[in-house]
Amino acid sequence: MTTPPTRPQPPPLPPDTSSLTRVHLLAGRPLFFPFPSGALTYSCVGCDAPCCKGQPIGIGRSRELVTIQQAQPRAPLFAVPGWNDGPLLSLTPPPEKCWFFDKNGRCRLEHVAGRDAKPTGCRLFPFSRIVTMGEALAVLPDLVCPVSVTPTAERALASTSSSHPSSYDTLALEMSRTQLPRGGHKALPAPADLSWDEALPLERHVVAAAADLLRAAPPPAFYGAFADLQHQLTSALLGVDTKPSAMASLESDIRRFLAVTEAASVDGVVELVALTGVLRLTPIDGAVVPRRAAPAMLVALAVLASVHESMRGSRRTPRTLLGLWRTQGPLLYALAHLGSRPLPLSPAALDAALARYHAPRRALVAVVDAIRDNGARSVAATVDELLRQQKDEFAPPLTADAVAMLHALGRILREACTFTPI
Ligand code: SF4
C-alpha cells in the first residue's frame, strides 16, 4: 500500500515577539504602540480628508508657527493655548478645509516647502495622539481618520515589513524626524488597580498576543479565547486566582442576559483583536478602566458589536468599536460584572453615587438597596441575581429605560463598589 503524497505545508509563522523584545525609543523614552505593527491601514487617495478640516493642530512656537506665519500671516490671531492640555499652542483651520489644502488634495506647505515644513501633528497623522504612560510614550491612532484593519492577505507581510505605514519602524522613524519633544505630552490617567509602569508589560504582552492571532490561519472566529488570555495575564500580574474559560462563559452569560443570538463576523472579531490594545487605553467617562475589568468589558463589547453589525443599515469599521466603547462604557461595565458579587465600598459612597441621578427609577433604587444588603448576607448575590429579582424590568428584550438604568448601575458599581473576583 502506498501512502498518498501530502501537499507541502507552508512553515508556521514564527510568533511575533517584536513588541516584547524590541523597544523603540524617542529621545530615550520607550515608545508603546498599542496595536500590532502594520495592523492598521489608511489611504489618503479618494479620502474626503477629515484630518484637514477643522482639526486642531498642535503648533510649536519656534519652527511650526514661523513656517505657518510665512504662508498665512494672519493665522496667529486664531491660536489658542493648551493643545491637548499640553504646552503647545493650538491652531484650528477652517472646518471646510485647511488654509493649506490645495485643489489637488495636497498640503501646500509640504508641496512647496518640503515635508519638514509640515506641522508635526499633520505629518504624524493619524498616529498623532501621543500620551505619557509613566516613563513610556504611547502612540494612539486618531480615528478621525477612517483607518481599517490590514486585509487578511497583506497581514502577515505587513507584520514583518518595516515600511508599512503603520509599522513600528516607520512610525518611530517619522517621530524622530519630526523632533517630537521628549516631554510635554498629556498624561493618560492610570487605571485604579495598577500604575502604568506596572501595567505596561501587560499591555505589551496583550498587543504581542494580538499580533500572533492576526497572523494565524484561519483568523480567530470568536473573541472569548483572547479575552481569557488577557484575563489570565492580568490575574497573574495581580496575584489573584482565575478560572479557565471565565471570559468565554461570561460571553454566554451576557448573550443569555441580553437574549443576543447574532454571531460576530470573522472580520468583526479580527478588528476587535487588532484594536484591543487601543481600546484598553481609551478612557470611559475620563477614566481608563481597571486592568482587572478590561477583558470582561471587551467581551461585553464583542457581544454588543455583534448585534450592531447585524443591524440593517449598519456599516462596521474600527470607529464603530471605539464609539461603542466610549458611549456604552458604563453598560459594558455592568455587563462585565454580571457574575460578580458587589459589596458597597461604604454606605455613604453608595448613597453619593446614587444621588447623582435625579429621580432614579424604582428598579434602580431597589438594586442599589440590594447591593447595600449584600454584605450582610451569608452569600452575597451576583449582579445578575440582583437584576433578576426585579422580574420584568431587566427581562430581555431590554427596553431603552432598562439600558439607561444599566448605564447608571455601571457607574454606581464602578464608583462605589468592590467585587469578589470576576
Ligand atoms: S483622514 Fe486619514 S486617510 Fe483621510 S486624508 Fe487624512 S490621513 Fe489620509
Side-chain angles (χ1 to χ4, degrees):
M1 198 171 104
T2 55
T3 312
T6 52
R7 289 178 54 180
Q9 297 292 313
L13 288 165
D16 179 8
T17 54
S18 57
S19 61
L20 291 174
T21 55
R22 290 182 58 209
V23 175
H24 293 81
L25 300 175
L26 182 79
R29 281 184 88 162
L31 290 172
F32 172 50
F33 301 98
F35 46 85
S37 184
L40 302 179
T41 300
Y42 61 99
S43 171
C44 301
V45 178
C47 177
D48 192 36
C51 55
C52 300
K53 294 173 182 165
Q55 292 301 316
I57 312 170
I59 300 294
R61 288 170 176 80
S62 58
R63 185 177 66 87
E64 287 155 326
L65 188 57
V66 171
T67 310
I68 288 174
Q69 206 167 343
Q70 283 167 354
Q72 184 58 278
R74 302 296 273 163
L77 203 53
F78 303 96
V80 174
W83 180 77
N84 208 15
D85 294 336
L88 293 181
L89 295 171
S90 173
L91 198 59
T92 303
E96 286 72 27
K97 74 174 186 64
C98 177
W99 300 291
F100 310 117
F101 191 74
D102 74 15
K103 62 179 186 318
N104 297 316
R106 294 175 304 192
C107 173
R108 196 152 39 87
L109 287 179
E110 179 177 4
H111 186 55
V112 173
R115 190 155 176 80
D116 284 346
K118 197 169 175 175
T120 297
C122 305
R123 201 166 148 174
L124 296 177
F125 197 87
F127 300 96
S128 52
R129 294 182 50 229
I130 319 291
V131 291
T132 63
M133 290 174 66
E135 178 51 22
L137 292 173
V139 183
L140 291 155
D142 188 329
L143 294 192
V144 163
C145 176
V147 297
S148 55
V149 171
T150 308
T152 317
E154 298 165 24
R155 208 173 290 138
L157 192 62
S159 67
T160 52
S161 158
S162 61
S163 60
H164 186 276
S166 72
S167 81
Y168 298 167
D169 286 348
T170 301
L171 295 175
L173 184 63
E174 190 69 344
M175 289 172 78
S176 67
R177 281 185 178 146
T178 58
Q179 297 166 10
L180 200 71
R182 185 181 194 279
H185 306 285
K186 187 173 179 175
L188 189 67
D193 47 358
L194 284 171
S195 72
W196 278 133
D197 288 337
E198 291 167 322
L200 189 60
L202 168 68
E203 300 307 313
R204 287 193 189 281
H205 210 132
V206 167
V207 173
D212 283 347
L213 271 177
L214 292 184
R215 285 147 45 95
F222 79 111
Y223 191 77
F226 184 40
D228 262 312
L229 175 65
Q230 295 173 58
H231 182 51
Q232 281 155 18
L233 290 170
T234 312
S235 301
L237 185 62
L238 293 170
V240 295
D241 289 337
T242 174
K243 292 188 202 133
S245 306
M247 295 298 104
S249 59
L250 174 66
E251 179 168 348
S252 313
D253 290 346
I254 295 172
R255 285 184 169 273
R256 174 192 45 73
F257 181 77
L258 299 176
V260 167
T261 54
E262 294 92 331
S265 68
V266 170
D267 285 347
V269 175
V270 163
E271 278 180 4
L272 184 51
V273 169
L275 263 276
T276 285
V278 173
L279 293 165
R280 288 173 60 96
L281 302 190
T282 301
I284 293 171
D285 291 347
V288 172
V289 301
R291 296 303 78 184
R292 196 166 167 184
M297 290 181 68
L298 285 157
V299 166
L301 176 66
V303 175
L304 221 54
S306 69
V307 178
H308 198 274
E309 70 171 324
S310 307
M311 291 166 70
R312 188 187 297 182
S314 265
R315 182 170 157 251
R316 195 203 59 252
T317 73
R319 286 195 280 199
T320 315
L321 295 171
L322 193 73
L324 289 174
W325 181 258
R326 284 187 175 136
T327 58
Q328 303 301 107
L331 169 68
L332 300 178
Y333 195 84
L335 294 173
H337 290 89
L338 275 184
S340 304
R341 303 174 193 279
L343 302 172
L345 287 173
S346 71
L350 210 50
D351 291 342
L354 184 61
R356 299 249 178 98
Y357 298 93
H358 175 66
R361 293 177 71 90
R362 186 199 54 77
L364 177 63
V365 176
V367 172
V368 171
D369 284 344
I371 293 173
R372 204 187 314 273
D373 296 341
N374 235 4
R377 295 190 181 131
S378 54
V379 180
T382 64
V383 170
D384 196 2
E385 289 163 347
L386 297 176
L387 292 170
R388 275 194 278 128
Q389 285 169 9
Q390 303 308 312
K391 306 228 165 26
D392 291 347
E393 289 280 0
F394 295 101
L398 293 183
T399 63
D401 275 337
V403 171
M405 281 192 280
L406 288 174
H407 269 258
L409 179 63
R411 290 195 172 99
I412 291 168
L413 291 173
R414 193 184 63 209
E415 291 165 18
C417 294
T418 182
F419 298 96
T420 56
I422 297 171

